[in-house]
């Protein structure tokens, strides 16, 4: 390989929660790891609230606990979800998902995205073998069986035995690696905010597929919820532009008074909805993790859980290769990583897309099909119990 300024064992592009988790998973090894992040160090050290509440399964909580991140998150930032309800239009019927009978544990927990990032960042800062290169972006990658040469926006050239893309679902580094992806821009956006409300939420999450909109109500502390409203992009932008009073009036009307009187408890945030599925999760001396590999629709709230589990699989493969004296970019290991991730992610990814297609349709056949589907799911316990078990994995 050509002579470069800096040499690492692994270079990670992206210091989001999955990229930081991956670096933390390797931090106890002797590997020299660099994490390249476009944001300034100050932004990583004090991540701003971005509206997103992450629904964590117990498997994800276990991973975060092993990394030391779960206990670093304040208890008051962990909101238990005791059950979930799925509603369809104006029908009073609700498909119910609850913990197993006799279980004292909730379905999962909601934690602000910024608190997860903050906990992982603090862990990374304690490990001298992990170097954060902030304020820079990756503008070039040359990968071969000998390793990867990575060019940064400031002109620096880095070398690594393995390059890992963890930047985003519209991953620039995935493109630089020549890996194609199915990218579906849905033409919808999600408006998110926290609200205080007069009616109790009883720690129940609600997914409401209403006509021309989808509303998710996620229970936080008592009397407060995160409200997610999915609309066509132009309608979402119109709603975002309203002043607070008009926004709350329309929000209350759209929720049909379900939460009672509401007041804003945070700023409003908007996110265009895009799903992605990479055609390959690895290339020579390179791998994809998180949204760069699989960008899920948020309706099932499983995107981060898949990304967190995927980075653990890749880190485990790397650490196993080291113990066996193998190359950390061994193609067989990377192929096994891809196979495991596809096996776990594909059913959820494709089922979620089917659900979104069914529940966003407004023609009479689609309305009838989702009404019947919810009824059948309620009266076939193995369906409800299977989904509940999936939510807890």
């Amino acid at each position: 390989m050509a002579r470069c300024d800096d040499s690492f064992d692994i270079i990670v592009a992206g210091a989001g929660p999955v990229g930081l988790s991956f670096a933390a998973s390797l931090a106890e090894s002797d590997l020299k790891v660099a994490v390249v992040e476009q944001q300034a160090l100050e932004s990583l050290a004090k991540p701003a609230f971005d509206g997103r509440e992450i629904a964590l399964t117990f498997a994800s909580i276990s991973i975060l606990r092993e990394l030391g991140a779960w206990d670093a998150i304040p208890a008051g930032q962990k909101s238990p979800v005791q059950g979930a309800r799925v509603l369809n239009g104006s029908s009073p019927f609700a498909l119910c998902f609850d913990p197993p009978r006799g279980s004292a544990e909730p379905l999962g927990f909601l934690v602000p995205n910024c608190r997860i990032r903050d906990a992982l960042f603090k862990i990374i800062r304690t490990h001298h073998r992990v170097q954060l290169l902030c304020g820079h972006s990756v503008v070039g990658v040359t990968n071969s069986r000998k390793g990867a040469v990575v060019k940064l926006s400031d002109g620096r050239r880095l070398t690594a035995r393995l390059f890992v893309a963890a930047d985003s679902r519209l991953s620039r580094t995935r493109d630089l690696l020549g890996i194609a992806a199915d990218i579906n821009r849905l033409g919808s956006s999600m408006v998110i905010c926290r609200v205080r409300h007069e009616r109790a939420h009883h720690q129940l999450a609600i997914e409401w597929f209403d006509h021309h909109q989808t509303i998710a109500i996620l229970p936080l502390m008592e009397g407060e919820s995160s409200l997610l409203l999915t609309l066509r992009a132009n309608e979402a932008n119109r709603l975002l532009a309203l002043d607070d009073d008009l926004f709350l009036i329309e929000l209350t009307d759209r929720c049909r008074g379900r939460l009672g009187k509401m007041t804003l408890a945070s700023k409003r945030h908007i996110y265009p909805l895009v799903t992605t599925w990479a055609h390959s999760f690895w290339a020579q001396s390179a791998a994809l993790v998180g949204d760069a590999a699989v960008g899920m629709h948020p309706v099932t709230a499983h995107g981060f859980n898949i990304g967190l589990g995927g980075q653990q699989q890749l880190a485990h493969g790397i650490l196993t290769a080291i113990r066996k004296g193998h190359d950390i970019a061994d193609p067989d290991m990377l192929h096994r990583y891809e196979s495991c991730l596809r096996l776990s992610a594909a059913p959820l990814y494709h089922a979620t897309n089917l659900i979104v297609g069914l529940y966003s349709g407004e023609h009479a056949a689609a309305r009838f099909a989702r009404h019947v589907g919810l009824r059948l799911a309620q009266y076939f316990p193995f369906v409800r119990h299977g989904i509940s078990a999936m939510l807890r994995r």
Side-chain angles (χ1 to χ4, degrees):
M1 295 178 64
R3 183 182 179 278
C4 297
D5 301 328
D6 295 278
S7 179
F8 296 89
D9 295 304
I10 297 175
I11 295 173
V12 183
V18 173
L20 290 175
S21 299
F22 177 66
S25 295
L26 300 171
E28 297 296 337
S29 71
D30 291 328
L31 295 171
K32 186 181 178 184
V33 179
V35 181
V36 181
E37 172 54 45
Q38 198 167 7
Q39 292 187 77
L41 183 64
E42 295 75 18
S43 298
L44 284 183
K46 296 182 179 179
F49 177 71
D50 61 8
R52 289 178 286 191
E53 310 288 342
I54 306 300
L56 294 172
T57 63
F58 282 94
S60 292
I61 291 170
S62 177
I63 294 172
L64 292 175
R65 182 174 281 119
E66 289 177 12
L67 297 177
W70 182 248
D71 292 335
I73 299 171
Q77 299 290 322
K78 304 169 184 175
S79 303
V81 178
Q82 299 294 350
R85 304 290 181 264
V86 180
L87 309 176
N88 178 41
S90 58
S91 171
F93 175 79
L95 178 60
C96 302
F97 299 100
D98 296 303
R101 185 170 297 176
S103 173
E105 292 183 330
L107 281 180
F109 285 84
L110 292 163
V111 179
N113 181 57
C114 60
R115 297 281 67 84
I116 297 173
R117 295 181 64 137
D118 180 55
L120 290 166
F121 174 82
K122 289 175 178 174
I123 289 167
I124 290 298
R125 295 293 281 172
T126 66
H127 294 284
H128 71 281
R129 298 289 292 176
V130 179
Q131 184 175 344
L132 286 168
L133 304 178
C134 296
H136 309 293
S137 58
V138 174
V139 297
V141 180
T142 303
N143 60 305
S144 69
R145 61 182 180 84
K146 294 181 179 180
V149 179
V150 179
K151 184 178 179 180
L152 303 186
S153 53
D154 65 351
R156 290 175 69 188
R157 294 173 69 238
L158 315 177
T159 61
R161 188 66 200 90
L162 179 66
F163 174 77
V164 176
D167 41 0
S168 73
R169 57 189 62 199
L170 298 178
S171 171
R172 175 177 172 81
T173 53
R174 182 182 62 217
D175 293 340
L176 291 172
L177 289 168
I179 298 176
D182 295 328
I183 300 175
N184 186 12
R185 300 176 187 271
L186 300 175
S188 301
S189 294
M190 183 175 285
V191 177
I192 309 175
C193 63
R194 284 185 172 189
V195 294
R196 299 185 188 91
H197 45 85
E198 61 182 354
R199 294 184 181 174
H201 51 50
H202 304 294
Q203 300 303 140
L204 295 176
I206 293 174
E207 189 78 32
W208 184 4
F209 296 100
D210 203 4
H211 305 313
H212 303 292
Q213 65 179 15
T214 300
I215 298 174
I217 302 172
L218 306 180
L220 304 175
M221 64 187 71
E222 190 59 41
E224 188 169 316
S225 296
S226 176
L227 200 149
L228 299 80
L229 182 61
T230 301
L231 300 164
R232 300 301 296 173
N234 59 345
E235 185 68 2
N237 290 328
R238 182 194 66 79
L239 192 62
L240 194 71
L242 297 176
D243 65 36
D244 287 352
D245 290 338
L246 289 176
F247 177 77
L248 283 168
I249 289 172
E250 183 158 338
L251 206 61
T252 302
D253 180 62
R254 286 179 177 276
C255 292
R256 302 185 193 177
R258 178 174 293 276
L259 296 174
K261 184 179 179 181
M262 294 187 291
T263 58
L264 283 173
S266 76
K267 293 181 179 179
R268 290 170 267 172
H269 302 264
I270 188 168
Y271 294 98
L273 294 183
V274 179
T275 63
T276 57
W277 181 268
H279 292 183
S280 177
F281 297 161
W282 70 284
Q284 285 189 332
S285 302
L288 310 182
V289 295
D291 283 352
V294 182
M296 292 278 294
H297 191 287
V299 69
T300 55
H302 254 298
F304 178 66
N305 296 299
I306 289 174
L308 192 61
Q311 70 77 26
Q312 184 190 50
Q313 290 170 3
L314 180 58
H316 175 75
I318 292 169
L319 296 176
T320 300
I322 292 172
R323 287 195 299 271
K324 293 181 176 181
H326 296 169
D327 184 2
I328 62 171
D330 174 50
D332 290 338
M333 181 274 290
L334 294 175
H335 179 70
R336 286 193 297 272
Y337 157 70
E338 176 178 60
S339 297
C340 289
L341 183 54
R342 286 189 183 280
L343 187 62
S344 60
L348 270 174
Y349 179 82
H350 295 297
T352 298
N353 290 344
L354 285 173
I355 290 170
V356 171
L358 175 62
Y359 283 92
S360 60
E362 288 300 325
H363 51 280
R367 293 185 185 184
F368 177 75
R370 58 190 182 231
H371 176 75
V372 171
L374 288 180
R375 290 278 183 174
L376 288 175
Q378 181 67 29
Y379 291 109
F380 285 93
F382 66 88
V383 175
R384 287 187 293 112
H385 296 164
I387 296 175
S388 294
M390 179 189 72
L391 293 173
R392 294 166 62 83
R393 284 205 298 267

